[in-house]
Amino acid sequence: MKTEDDTVQIGTEGCTGLITLNRPEAINALTHPMVLRIGEALTAWEHDPAVRQVLLRGAGERGLCAGGDIRAIHADAKAGTTGSLAFWRDEYRLNARIARYPKPYIALMDGIVMGGGVGLSAHGGVRIVTERSRVAMPETGIGFVPDVGSTYLLSRAPGELGTHLALTGTAVGPGDAVLCGLADHYLPSDWLEEFTRELTFAPVDEVLGKFDGATAPAVPLAAEREWIDHCYAADTVEEIHQRLLATGLPAAREASQTLHAKSPTSLKVTLAALRRARALDSLERVLEQEYRVSSAALSSAPDLVEGIRAQVIDKDRRPRWNPAALVQVRAASVERFFAPLGEGSELTFS
């Protein structure tokens, strides 16, 4: 049986610190002990002259990381306990630390990269996708709201692409991940072993120069920019729906149908979070906002428990959202997600 210490493998090879997420049976879903071990490794390597760079990768063939351990979050929310708050506090601090890490932080975003996996990778300095990459923040489908600093990244994607991805939870491939600012470089998956081996001898900038012959991946969203930018620029989710249907385009109609299946409360809070994130001047300020939103979702929003039940626990894929319709979600209910938590309860960065 795997122990908590086995779920993240920490080591060094040559000049590179290696972090391997090691829960392949769960697509390396992230737990609190895993977050803490990654943080400890980054601390140890930050002032170690023998470590010139850090590489994050996932064990197994399915993906880097499918997100946080939402079964644990479901149990916490259902019981009315607050263990998830401690997890998120440390996770969000780690996200910010990755973004500010003084040494090159390289993430191999191969396969599935969702939720907390995006937080561990997309804030890094060198983010590599492959033909197998599927990058997404699918939180609105489980009654939650995109977090781990994703509202910072998605609010700064070209046009309204980030709004589309955040609301629908659509998973994008490598080309669109680069277009949306979630990744930087493309490598075929069968090059990763050699690429990793080269990193043990040389700095990442030098190594990347040896792997520049890959064919650029397709960028499907680039062809959809016109209707996406028009529809998702609307001020409300209701108007976004109306604009999507009015286009008459099959892709826009499909997006509307996708939104219809999501939590109405999550959709409205997500749109508000994205718009507010655009006005915030740093990742840290956005993470502080996300912590407020996540805290509210855990403590007093029934859709989180119901969404995880429907998608993960019972797997009936038939969530009973409360409220069930967008028109029933009042502005005051949305605003509550952004309310101050009180002294000693906020996430703050020094």
Side-chain angles (χ1 to χ4, degrees), residues 226-307:
E226 184 174 354
W227 69 262
I228 287 175
D229 287 354
H230 168 69
C231 294
Y232 289 94
D235 292 332
T236 67
V237 181
E238 290 93 332
E239 187 178 350
I240 289 172
H241 265 295
Q242 293 168 5
R243 291 188 183 188
L244 288 169
L245 293 174
T247 67
L249 297 171
R253 184 168 58 251
E254 182 180 348
S256 176
Q257 292 170 347
T258 298
L259 292 179
H260 186 71
K262 308 301 184 185
S263 159
T265 299
S266 293
L267 289 175
K268 288 202 170 185
V269 175
T270 296
L271 183 61
L274 288 168
R275 298 296 191 252
R276 295 177 187 220
R278 282 180 180 171
L280 296 173
D281 62 2
S282 69
L283 172 61
E284 287 79 3
R285 299 293 84 76
V286 174
L287 286 165
E288 290 167 356
Q289 173 178 277
E290 289 181 350
Y291 186 76
R292 288 182 176 181
V293 171
S294 298
S295 298
L298 180 72
S299 64
S300 56
D303 281 1
L304 178 58
V305 170
E306 174 60 13

Side-chain angles (χ1 to χ4, degrees), residues 131 174-176 178 185-188 212-219:
E131 79 283 356
D176 285 332
V178 173
H185 305 279
Y186 170 78
L187 292 179
D212 60 358
T215 302
V219 190

Side-chain angles (χ1 to χ4, degrees), residues 14 70 153 167 278 347:
I70 58 176
L153 296 168
L167 293 180
R278 282 180 180 171
L347 173 66

Side-chain angles (χ1 to χ4, degrees), residues 16-21 42 53-58 63-65 98-99 101 103-113 116-130 133 135 177-178 182-187 192 195-196 199 204 208:
T16 301
L18 297 176
I19 301 171
T20 306
L21 307 181
L42 293 181
Q53 56 204 5
V54 174
L55 177 69
L56 173 76
R57 59 188 179 179
L64 172 66
C65 177
I98 289 168
Y101 201 63
K103 297 181 179 182
Y105 180 99
I106 308 136
L108 301 185
M109 301 172 69
D110 185 35
I112 292 173
V113 186
V118 172
L120 288 183
S121 59
H123 297 299
V126 182
R127 307 162 300 175
I128 296 169
V129 284
T130 75
S133 295
V135 185
V178 173
L182 302 174
D184 310 296
H185 305 279
Y186 170 78
L187 292 179
L192 294 182
F195 175 80
T196 300
L199 284 176
V204 64
L208 282 170

Side-chain angles (χ1 to χ4, degrees), residues 79-236:
T81 50
T82 58
S84 296
L85 296 181
F87 167 56
W88 287 326
R89 184 180 292 271
D90 288 330
E91 183 185 24
Y92 299 176
R93 287 190 179 280
L94 179 60
N95 301 149
R97 186 172 189 189
I98 289 168
R100 309 299 181 205
Y101 201 63
K103 297 181 179 182
Y105 180 99
I106 308 136
L108 301 185
M109 301 172 69
D110 185 35
I112 292 173
V113 186
M114 296 185 178
V118 172
L120 288 183
S121 59
H123 297 299
V126 182
R127 307 162 300 175
I128 296 169
V129 284
T130 75
E131 79 283 356
R132 303 187 299 196
S133 295
R134 294 295 178 269
V135 185
M137 294 300 299
E139 282 74 11
T140 58
I142 59 167
F144 197 44
V145 177
D147 64 337
V148 297
S150 67
T151 60
Y152 178 86
L153 296 168
L154 294 175
S155 67
R156 288 156 173 80
E160 295 293 338
L161 293 180
T163 309
H164 171 62
L165 298 184
L167 293 180
T168 63
T170 298
V172 296
D176 285 332
V178 173
L179 172 64
C180 292
L182 302 174
D184 310 296
H185 305 279
Y186 170 78
L187 292 179
S189 58
D190 58 4
W191 292 14
L192 294 182
E193 184 176 352
E194 183 181 356
F195 175 80
T196 300
R197 185 167 55 250
E198 290 284 339
L199 284 176
T200 66
F201 305 111
V204 64
D205 289 345
E206 182 179 321
V207 174
L208 282 170
K210 300 179 181 180
F211 291 83
D212 60 358
T215 302
V219 190
L221 283 180
E224 311 288 344
R225 278 287 305 278
E226 184 174 354
W227 69 262
I228 287 175
D229 287 354
H230 168 69
C231 294
Y232 289 94
D235 292 332
T236 67

